[in-house]
Amino acid sequence: MGLLTFKGGVHPPHKKKFSENEAIKILPLPEKVYVYTAHSIGAPAKPIVEVGDKVKTGQKIAEAGGFISANLHSPVTGTVVEFTKLVNAASGLKSDVIVIEREGEDQWELLEKTDDHTKLKPEEIVARVKEAGIVGLGGAMFPSHVKLSIPKGKKAESLIINAAECEPYITIDYRMMLEKTSEVLKGIEIIMHTIGVEKAYVGIEDNKSKAISHMKEAVKNSSIEIVPLKTKYPQGAEKQLINAVTGKEVPSGGLPIDIGAVVFNVSTAYAIYDAIYNGKALVESGISLTGEGVKKPGNFWFRVGTKVSELLDYVGIIEEDKIDRVLYGGPMMGISLPDTELPTFKGNNAITVMTKDVAPNKETMPCIRCSSCVSVCPIGLQPYLMKKLADTRKYDDLTNNNLMDCIECGACSYTCPSGIDLTKSFKTAKKVVRAMKQRRG
């Protein structure tokens, strides 16, 4: 029997050699942090501090602005010095930011903690995860307390831990499995207890053989199973991971819980452990600083809100005229930064510096209807047809062709021999469709 996987996908170069053997190092504390109030999918948080307020590390500085939202906490001990606006690279628009100037070393304000999570009721754990402001650290930044709250009428049957880390270059989850094994496993046990499942699966791509063998040894005699997966992008996409591990498909427009699945990634499991057992709010996390443009790539523990330029200063970058782009994340789904003076988010798992020689600009040619994009689409869409509909602004037809199911993985753009950036068109079209729905009510 071959390795488990999904239909479609591509095989970009792994590029993990830059940082996979680099143990996680703790970065120096930043002098200032810049905390976006919009730090998760959903409503921005509402500040509860004012300029001049003294704050401790881990102290709450903004309340969740709705059910789909997350609390914010100070990443350093210091003084709130400014409220300003900075560009959010994901939207291209300016967002509200709380600026805190550090004063000395950390003085932590901890949340309530426990020495045994099984003493807590599921709703108590959900409340503590919500208070800690934990969001998904695989990139999407969906509030974790929402995912832990199983809707009425639904039942969680299996927990799947996303350890695929299929994006090229990124290695932080790989290092977390090797270096924070017991903490990650304890986080998984907490999630299992909270959502009421008896079994958990950890899906790891087979290009991480050391992590597979290490984790298999660690979970002996437990109800956690390590599932080796075929190395293929986007193996770590939620729906593709569920399909590979369980054989089930999330229906169009549906959610994983519709088929009894709940998915968290490795670093999020660690963050949940840290909140429940150590009382720490989510103000720090792991990140890979990597790419051909980085002099000393590696994996690091960073404070949320640190400027990207400050992180890159620590590892060094090559001559500016050789750099093509700097990305939040990896080259397939990452967001190109307009300015490295922008700060990091909770969900930043990598900063990748691409050079011009490895990321040459493709000359764009007309579509030749080769169907390469169709064969690699992990959702089974027809990207070439959707691109034509997007170009002619036939948004209703585009919606009928399941535009909103597109996961924006970039596989179609990667494989297109004509160099057409199909994914960019779909991202824009989805924004238009959402705006049209709002206008129509």
Side-chain angles (χ1 to χ4, degrees):
M1 182 180 174
L3 290 165
L4 298 174
T5 189
F6 62 96
K7 187 178 179 181
V10 293
H11 297 85
H14 304 162
K15 302 279 189 178
K16 294 181 184 290
K17 62 181 180 180
F18 293 106
S19 57
E20 64 184 356
N21 294 318
E22 299 294 327
I24 301 169
K25 299 183 180 74
I26 299 174
L27 289 172
L29 293 174
E31 294 304 315
K32 276 187 181 180
V33 289
Y34 303 78
V35 185
Y36 287 107
T37 57
H39 236 292
S40 65
I41 290 179
K46 298 176 180 176
I48 56 173
V49 291
E50 297 179 352
V51 171
D53 283 356
K54 301 286 186 182
V55 291
K56 293 182 178 179
T57 305
Q59 180 178 331
K60 188 158 62 178
I61 57 174
E63 293 268 10
F67 179 62
I68 310 293
S69 184
N71 292 335
L72 292 173
H73 303 78
S74 178
V76 294
T77 296
T79 301
V80 178
V81 294
E82 185 181 8
F83 288 87
T84 187
K85 289 181 180 290
L86 289 173
V87 171
N88 181 322
S91 65
L93 304 174
K94 287 193 172 183
S95 297
D96 293 326
V97 173
I98 303 170
V99 185
I100 302 169
E101 188 170 285
R102 182 171 68 86
E103 294 170 356
E105 299 302 309
D106 282 326
Q107 295 180 45
W108 280 89
E109 181 168 302
L110 298 175
L111 307 170
E112 193 174 4
K113 55 186 177 181
T114 184
D115 58 0
D116 182 358
H117 69 273
T118 62
K119 296 177 181 174
L120 299 175
K121 296 177 182 176
E123 54 269 30
E124 292 176 314
I125 293 177
V126 172
R128 292 189 184 196
V129 167
K130 180 180 181 181
E131 190 60 28
I134 296 173
V135 300
L137 300 179
M141 296 195 292
F142 190 84
S144 295
H145 68 275
V146 180
K147 196 178 275 191
L148 288 172
S149 304
I150 306 302
K152 287 185 179 177
K154 306 287 183 182
K155 178 177 172 54
E157 297 172 354
S158 57
L159 169 64
I160 301 171
I161 299 299
N162 185 355
E165 203 161 52
C166 60
E167 266 272 8
Y169 293 94
I170 304 174
T171 58
I172 187 62
D173 278 352
Y174 171 69
R175 294 305 315 183
M176 291 291 286
M177 285 188 282
L178 295 181
E179 298 179 43
K180 306 286 185 185
T181 315
S182 60
E183 294 91 338
V184 169
L185 293 178
K186 184 62 76 176
I188 294 171
E189 291 173 2
I190 295 169
I191 299 169
M192 293 171 68
H193 173 70
T194 308
I195 63 175
V197 299
E198 301 294 329
K199 183 85 177 179
Y201 304 88
V202 182
I204 310 175
E205 283 190 331
D206 69 333
N207 64 348
K208 304 171 188 69
S209 56
K210 192 174 178 180
I212 291 173
S213 58
H214 181 75
M215 291 287 282
K216 277 188 173 180
E217 183 65 27
V219 302
K220 277 183 177 177
N221 304 317
S222 81
S223 52
I224 301 172
E225 180 179 338
I226 306 304
V227 183
L229 303 169
K230 186 175 181 180
T231 299
K232 186 168 64 169
Y233 180 85
Q235 185 66 82
E238 194 169 65
K239 292 180 179 179
Q240 283 60 49
L241 180 66
I242 294 169
N243 180 241
V245 173
T246 70
K248 296 179 181 178
E249 289 194 8
V250 179
S252 174
L255 298 170
I257 192 61
D258 293 335
I259 56 169
V262 177
V263 181
F264 282 86
N265 96 319
V266 170
S267 291
T268 314
Y270 177 89
I272 290 172
Y273 155 80
D274 210 21
I276 300 300
Y277 275 85
N278 297 326
K280 286 189 173 180
L282 181 55
V283 299
E284 55 185 356
S285 188
I287 192 169
S288 297
L289 304 177
T290 184
E292 285 83 356
V294 174
K295 288 181 179 176
K296 295 179 180 177
N299 300 289
F300 302 91
W301 207 244
F302 78 106
R303 290 296 167 92
V304 172
T306 306
K307 282 185 176 180
V308 172
S309 60
E310 198 170 335
L311 298 181
L312 294 179
D313 283 346
Y314 189 80
V315 293
I317 55 174
I318 63 170
E319 296 89 341
E320 191 172 338
D321 62 351
K322 293 182 180 177
I323 294 173
D324 181 77
R325 72 196 75 165
V326 179
L327 300 161
Y328 281 139
M332 299 300 289
M333 293 189 74
I335 298 170
S336 186
L337 277 167
D339 186 349
T340 57
E341 291 303 306
L342 295 177
T344 46
F345 289 88
K346 288 180 180 178
N348 282 139
N349 59 358
I351 301 294
T352 307
V353 183
M354 306 284 290
T355 53
K356 292 175 181 174
D357 58 331
V358 298
N361 291 319
K362 289 183 182 177
E363 183 181 359
T364 303
M365 305 290 286
C367 173
I368 57 174
R369 293 176 178 268
C370 65
S371 298
S372 295
C373 57
V374 177
S375 65
V376 302
C377 179
I379 305 295
L381 304 177
Q382 300 185 72
Y384 78 93
L385 175 60
M386 292 164 58
K387 177 70 166 66
K388 184 178 179 180
L389 294 172
D391 288 346
T392 53
R393 301 181 182 182
K394 294 181 177 177
Y395 295 112
D396 287 335
D397 291 341
L398 197 48
T399 302
N400 292 334
N401 277 274
N402 302 312
L403 168 70
M404 303 312 283
D405 284 342
C406 171
I407 59 173
E408 304 173 16
C409 66
C412 54
S413 299
Y414 177 81
T415 199
C416 178
S418 293
I420 300 171
D421 191 347
L422 298 111
T423 311
K424 184 178 181 181
S425 294
F426 303 150
K427 287 181 180 178
T428 303
K430 287 166 90 170
K431 290 179 182 175
V432 174
V433 169
R434 291 191 186 103
M436 289 171 61
K437 281 186 177 178
Q438 282 187 338
R439 283 200 301 271
R440 290 172 180 173

